[in-house]
Amino acid sequence: MAKKKKRLRTDRLILVIIGLVVVIGLVIGGIFLLKDHKKRNTDTALDASNNQETETKTGIEALYYYEPENQARYEAYQALHPELAEEDVVWMVNVHLDEEPYTNLQVIPESEENNEVLLVNKHYCYRDEFEPAELVETQNGKLVTPNTKTAYEKMVADAKAEGITGISAASTYRSIDYQVGLYNRYVERDGAEAADTYSSRPASSEHHTGRTIDLMGPDGTLESFESTKACTWVHANAYKYGFIIRYEQGYEDITGYQYEPWHITYVGVEASTTMHDEGIHTLEEYYAKYVQHQPTQS
Ligand SMILES: [Zn+2]
């Protein structure tokens, strides 16, 4: 009997010990779980603050062509054009598209007048005395720069080899003096506002560069070029020779000109290929993203 009682007491003791061990285990486990939970909460909080940091960096300030001094103009232009993406607002302001045409003309420095890529428009112009460094005649006697001539004649020859004839230069280089007379005649006829949509003011014409060619159609007019096979071919292939269609359809607000399917400009193969590959349709955008600033190599 006494033996039985003793065994019973031992059993109870063992049960108590097991019970204690279980309770201690639960308590310790609980503490760990709590700690882990807390840690996870802190991690999430850290993640959130990291994200916030990344967010500020992916704003317009993170764009490689962002210019801090233009911040107020970016905001003003964005407010005026809520439909524009903010990354577009930045490059547009950088090339002065937020300013009224011809109001704050940037004169191309003499040292840059013969650069491969030249932006000449209603915001960028030449000094009045500008002349291209060298002009040569194309086969039909039109004046262009030597590089333009080489590229143009190769393009015409390659087109011909593919059965495309009828690529023919009408207007190429024009002196600033000549443009003075031309523009004034247009203004007299149609008024300045209308004339500005299709003609450049002197020193702001791309034709001064000697790198621009207006192609004509079979009846000798520029307008008839658009409906030709030559036009289709040129629009698809010109970039391979360093030419761009300078005033594309749908980009009038950027170029400042109506669609001119006949007006091609030599910018060099590097620029024309980049524009083609990156889907850049205006020289304004290319100039802002590849000349004013260069993309960082990744
Ligand atoms: Zn033209």
Side-chain angles (χ1 to χ4, degrees):
M1 193 68 176
K3 217 177 176 184
K4 217 178 177 181
K5 230 182 189 172
K6 199 179 175 188
R7 213 171 60 201
L8 210 70
R9 225 183 289 155
T10 321
D11 285 355
R12 224 181 265 165
L13 197 70
I14 288 169
L15 269 177
V16 167
I17 289 170
I18 288 173
L20 269 173
V21 167
V22 167
V23 167
I24 290 169
L26 279 176
V27 168
I28 292 175
I31 288 171
F32 268 108
L33 272 176
L34 205 72
K35 261 195 179 168
D36 190 48
H37 181 70
K38 262 192 188 165
K39 187 174 172 296
R40 250 184 292 163
N41 274 351
T42 336
D43 284 353
T44 322
L46 267 176
D47 277 354
S49 74
N50 276 349
N51 276 347
Q52 231 166 24
E53 255 170 58
T54 331
E55 251 165 43
T56 9
K57 277 184 196 155
T58 52
I60 57 168
E61 288 165 41
L63 298 168
Y64 70 87
Y65 49 90
Y66 172 81
E67 295 179 14
E69 65 273 23
N70 287 345
Q71 181 60 40
R73 285 169 60 205
Y74 297 147
E75 285 167 22
Y77 198 56
Q78 180 78 79
L80 212 60
H81 294 279
E83 78 283 4
L84 292 174
E86 55 182 11
E87 58 265 32
D88 289 331
V89 165
V90 174
W91 69 256
M92 286 177 178
V93 167
N94 289 353
V95 288
H96 301 272
L97 295 180
D98 59 326
E99 293 165 354
E100 284 297 309
Y102 301 117
T103 53
N104 179 29
L105 276 168
Q106 310 294 305
V107 180
I108 300 165
E110 206 176 333
S111 59
E112 294 175 19
E113 282 174 346
N114 292 297
N115 284 1
E116 182 136 78
V117 176
L118 281 173
L119 183 61
V120 186
N121 59 19
K122 294 175 181 177
H123 305 276
Y124 289 83
C125 70
Y126 283 117
R127 58 197 172 92
D128 291 339
E129 307 75 33
F130 167 76
E131 284 294 331
E134 195 187 350
L135 290 169
V136 291
E137 279 189 14
T138 62
Q139 278 162 0
N140 62 344
K142 302 288 179 182
L143 286 176
V144 290
T145 66
N147 286 347
T148 309
K149 175 184 158 79
T150 309
Y152 174 68
E153 287 175 354
K154 174 138 186 24
M155 182 172 79
V156 172
D158 286 356
K160 208 170 176 179
E162 287 181 35
I164 303 293
T165 54
I167 300 177
S168 180
S171 181
T172 56
Y173 165 76
R174 290 180 211 145
S175 71
I176 294 181
D177 274 354
Y178 179 85
Q179 192 73 22
V180 171
L182 192 66
Y183 178 75
N184 287 346
R185 259 179 287 142
Y186 289 142
V187 171
E188 248 170 65
R189 193 185 67 187
D190 297 333
E193 202 184 321
D196 280 337
T197 66
Y198 61 83
S199 176
S200 308
R201 294 189 188 179
S204 276
S205 171
E206 269 220 328
H207 283 276
H208 300 318
T209 63
R211 306 163 188 201
T212 285
I213 301 174
D214 286 338
L215 299 168
M216 58 184 173
D219 66 357
T221 67
L222 305 181
E223 288 74 16
S224 65
F225 178 67
E226 187 175 5
S227 57
T228 62
K229 276 184 184 162
C231 180
T232 311
W233 190 92
V234 166
H235 283 218
N237 295 286
Y239 79 93
K240 297 172 190 164
Y241 305 88
F243 287 102
I244 58 167
I245 314 306
R246 181 64 179 92
Y247 306 123
E248 282 195 45
Q249 195 153 35
Y251 296 88
E252 295 83 354
D253 288 346
I254 295 165
T255 64
Y257 290 94
Q258 59 183 16
Y259 176 44
E260 291 194 1
W262 57 81
H263 180 120
I264 62 169
T265 300
Y266 181 75
V267 294
V269 172
E270 193 189 330
S272 63
T273 305
T274 302
M275 286 176 70
H276 175 267
D277 294 352
E278 301 292 321
I280 295 176
H281 293 269
T282 65
L283 196 56
E284 282 76 8
E285 182 173 355
Y286 180 83
Y287 188 80
K289 293 183 175 176
Y290 289 87
V291 181
Q292 277 184 334
H293 298 270
Q294 285 88 38
T296 35
Q297 300 292 319
S298 55

